[in-house]
Amino acid sequence: MKQPDDISPIRLQPVIIAGGSGTRLWPLSRAQYPKQFLALHGRHSLFQQAVLRLDALAAEDIAVAPACVVGNEEHRFLMREQLSGLPMEPANFLLEPVGRNTAPAMTLAALCAASEAADPVLVVTPADQTVGDEKAFVAALQRAVRIAARGAFVVLGVVPDRPETGFGYIRSGPGGGGAGKVIGFVEKPDLETAARYLAEGGYFWNSGMFVVRASLWLKTLQRFRPDIGDATRAAWDGRSADPPFLRPQAELFATIPSESVDYAVLEKCPGCSDIDIRMVPLDAGWSDLGAWDAVWQVGAKDAAGNVVTGDVLLRDTRETMVHATSRLVGVVGLDHVVVVETPDAVLVADRSRSQDVKHLVAELQNAGRSEHRLHRLVHRPWGWYDSIDAGPRFQVKRIMVKPGASLSLQKHHHRAEHWVVVSGTAEVTNGDKVILLTENQSTYIPLGQVHRLANPGKVPLEIIEVQSGSYLGEDDIVRFEDNYGRG
């Protein structure tokens, strides 16, 4: 590993941990489109906000490298597309074949960063948080970076404003330079204990943000959890590259123990004489938006304390959150409630019980239903499709293909398809023929015919597809060519 370079500026490596399924924000958050990719607060998604915040840490003595993103293989095109619209350099995407929690994810990022620079300072943040005061956030993180550059392991502790039972806590002692010595980490408390923490002071919410030199993280992990360190390094050494995607060796990665940074390392550090673990307080309107109650708390409220998104009518309703996606939603005479409407599911919950939404998701999963995984509108690297109707032996989809994009060259064993162009220009491969279709023109794809849909134009292509046959599942696809590496 390269040795740290003590010459200013400090090289900062932003690391965005973009895994997670956001089950408590169902039905808006789904496994294939989880909460970090949603614009729940502001015009950017939480993932985009995280990248933009860390890019803003640049200063005269801090040089910010392009972000390194650790995320799920299934979200690779979604992550890349969301970053493509931001005014910054492309990032590395470290793609996990399976989720293994934050300790292996952070280790992948440290190994990647150490291979490209002289021991940079890692600033590691989850992709699913928001802050209200960007200036205060930047100031706290810059302070943490400077302290970490001198050899400390720095965590960010959120200044609590209420007795919260949904977070773990950090207990911090006094310290100079705005960073106290960490005394210990405590689990999520009950309400009485959380109230006591707030009254006593010295307790902070654990934000899940860490600032540390890559070499110190790898050394500390090897000390406390060499099994995680060795297994992650082996998977990294066997990596494959498809720039900007880097893939650790899948079989080896699957053997890594699943563990969080806190359990694997941080909780073992306080009391170690040779580890300087510090906490910088963060008072910046932070929220992890972990459940619908948290979304209500950070939302813009009307005079009755209601937070509303979409086409909503309220009457005699107070301190309620209503999110309408696709239709008019009316609420009468309800207080402290969450209502979330999507085209295929509606949630109604007591706001104080919003943490329990995850149990509904578990029930959907156990029942073998699809609503926990997919929205009705499904994003693909070439665009999206919306399943607008279905019945025995038929299904109707609305399909959008981005300019210059194309679906795979494919065939189906069990269904035929009728395509009608609504807008744009379609290039259709239908067997050995290639034709162009424009608005109001149509074609028929017989069962078993090799075909492809492409958009050669400069505007989005929209079509209506009517499928008919004995089986209409998405797995009835035989791909012959694909621009996105899908088998």
Side-chain angles (χ1 to χ4, degrees):
M1 181 184 299
K2 299 177 182 179
Q3 296 302 309
D5 184 357
D6 294 328
I7 301 174
S8 292
I10 301 164
R11 182 175 173 85
L12 185 158
Q13 177 60 67
V15 177
I16 315 296
I17 307 295
S21 57
T23 56
R24 290 171 294 178
L25 289 180
W26 182 87
L28 213 56
S29 175
R30 311 280 176 107
Q32 291 295 308
Y33 206 97
K35 71 168 182 174
Q36 56 267 32
F37 303 117
L38 300 172
L40 293 169
H41 184 59
R43 65 187 183 92
H44 288 109
S45 73
L46 300 181
F47 173 55
Q48 291 170 321
Q49 289 180 34
V51 174
L52 290 168
R53 280 197 299 269
L54 295 194
D55 191 60
L57 297 181
E60 185 175 343
D61 61 334
I62 299 174
V64 180
C68 174
V69 177
V70 186
N72 192 298
E73 170 78 28
E74 291 186 327
H75 299 148
R76 63 192 185 279
F77 298 114
L78 183 56
M79 293 188 294
R80 188 177 186 185
E81 180 180 11
Q82 289 210 345
L83 287 193
S84 67
L86 300 185
M88 57 186 58
E89 297 179 64
N92 285 324
F93 296 88
L94 308 182
L95 302 180
E96 299 176 305
V98 291
R100 282 296 177 263
N101 217 314
T102 54
M106 184 168 167
T107 305
L108 277 182
L111 291 168
C112 181
S115 71
E116 296 181 350
D119 196 17
V121 173
L122 308 179
V123 176
V124 183
T125 178
D128 56 0
Q129 301 179 347
T130 188
V131 299
D133 188 339
E134 299 278 350
K135 185 175 180 180
F137 175 88
V138 168
L141 265 291
Q142 287 177 336
R143 185 182 311 123
V145 167
R146 293 173 182 125
I147 294 168
R150 298 194 292 268
F153 199 135
V154 186
V155 296
L156 275 292
V158 177
V159 178
D161 59 7
R162 62 186 184 277
E164 175 60 59
T165 61
F167 304 139
Y169 282 70
I170 304 167
R171 188 181 179 195
S172 176
K181 189 84 171 178
V182 173
I183 299 171
F185 296 85
V186 292
E187 297 294 326
K188 297 175 182 178
D190 57 29
L191 186 59
E192 182 180 352
T193 305
R196 177 169 59 82
Y197 289 165
L198 196 65
E200 289 180 4
Y203 289 88
F204 301 79
W205 297 337
N206 189 345
S207 71
M209 288 185 277
F210 317 108
V211 186
V212 61
R213 281 202 182 272
S215 61
L216 179 57
W217 166 251
L218 294 172
K219 176 183 176 182
T220 310
L221 178 69
Q222 203 65 26
R223 172 174 173 176
F224 294 118
R225 290 299 303 268
D227 55 336
I228 295 177
D230 292 342
T232 308
R233 188 179 292 275
W236 170 251
D237 289 343
R239 68 191 178 275
S240 60
D242 175 23
F245 303 126
L246 296 174
R247 294 176 172 86
Q249 209 281 333
E251 289 78 12
L252 293 175
F253 192 85
T255 68
I256 302 172
S258 180
E259 196 70 274
S260 70
V261 170
D262 300 80
Y263 285 136
V265 172
L266 287 185
E267 293 183 1
K268 300 177 175 68
C269 290
C272 295
S273 59
D274 58 335
I275 300 177
D276 184 18
I277 181 165
R278 298 275 170 173
M279 191 211 75
V280 169
L282 178 65
D283 190 4
W286 173 93
S287 175
D288 73 340
L289 297 185
W292 286 115
D293 183 56
V295 179
W296 172 82
Q297 288 174 5
V298 302
K301 299 175 180 63
D302 64 17
N306 299 308
V307 175
V308 169
T309 301
D311 192 5
V312 175
L313 291 176
L314 300 179
R315 186 171 180 84
D316 297 331
T317 295
R318 287 169 290 278
E319 296 188 356
T320 285
M321 201 203 87
V322 185
H323 188 111
T325 300
S326 64
R327 72 198 85 180
L328 171 65
V329 174
V331 178
V332 179
L334 294 180
D335 299 341
H336 309 102
V337 170
V338 170
V339 180
V340 182
E341 176 274 331
T342 67
D344 63 344
V346 176
L347 169 72
V348 181
D350 186 315
R351 219 185 68 225
S352 67
R353 298 283 304 278
S354 57
Q355 294 278 348
D356 293 338
V357 171
K358 62 184 178 184
H359 300 306
L360 295 181
V361 176
E363 288 188 33
L364 290 170
Q365 191 168 4
N366 293 336
R369 298 183 58 148
S370 64
E371 289 92 340
H372 73 286
R373 292 188 66 252
L374 297 169
H375 284 280
R376 201 185 77 177
L377 189 150
V378 178
H379 290 266
R380 289 288 186 257
W382 44 259
W384 50 256
Y385 69 83
D386 185 4
S387 300
I388 57 180
D389 197 9
R393 298 183 61 86
F394 84 92
Q395 182 169 220
V396 182
K397 291 183 176 179
R398 181 182 171 198
I399 296 175
M400 187 280 288
V401 184
K402 301 172 188 174
S406 67
L407 283 66
S408 58
L409 184 68
Q410 59 184 254
K411 72 175 182 179
H412 310 295
H413 290 300
H414 303 288
R415 70 175 185 253
E417 296 175 344
H418 299 258
W419 294 348
V420 180
V421 176
V422 177
S423 63
T425 301
E427 180 184 274
V428 178
T429 301
N430 193 347
D432 58 0
K433 297 180 180 179
V434 179
I435 60 174
L436 291 178
L437 301 177
T438 57
E439 186 175 328
N440 291 324
Q441 294 182 319
S442 63
T443 191
Y444 167 65
I445 310 295
L447 184 150
Q449 181 85 289
V450 175
H451 62 278
R452 171 177 252 160
L453 175 66
N455 180 359
K458 296 182 179 180
V459 298
L461 162 66
E462 289 200 25
I463 73 165
I464 298 297
E465 175 183 85
V466 180
Q467 303 174 353
S468 60
S470 60
Y471 179 71
L472 305 173
E474 285 300 308
D475 54 347
D476 180 23
I477 297 178
V478 179
R479 289 190 174 96
F480 299 97
E481 295 175 10
D482 185 69
N483 296 334
Y484 311 102
R486 299 170 298 174

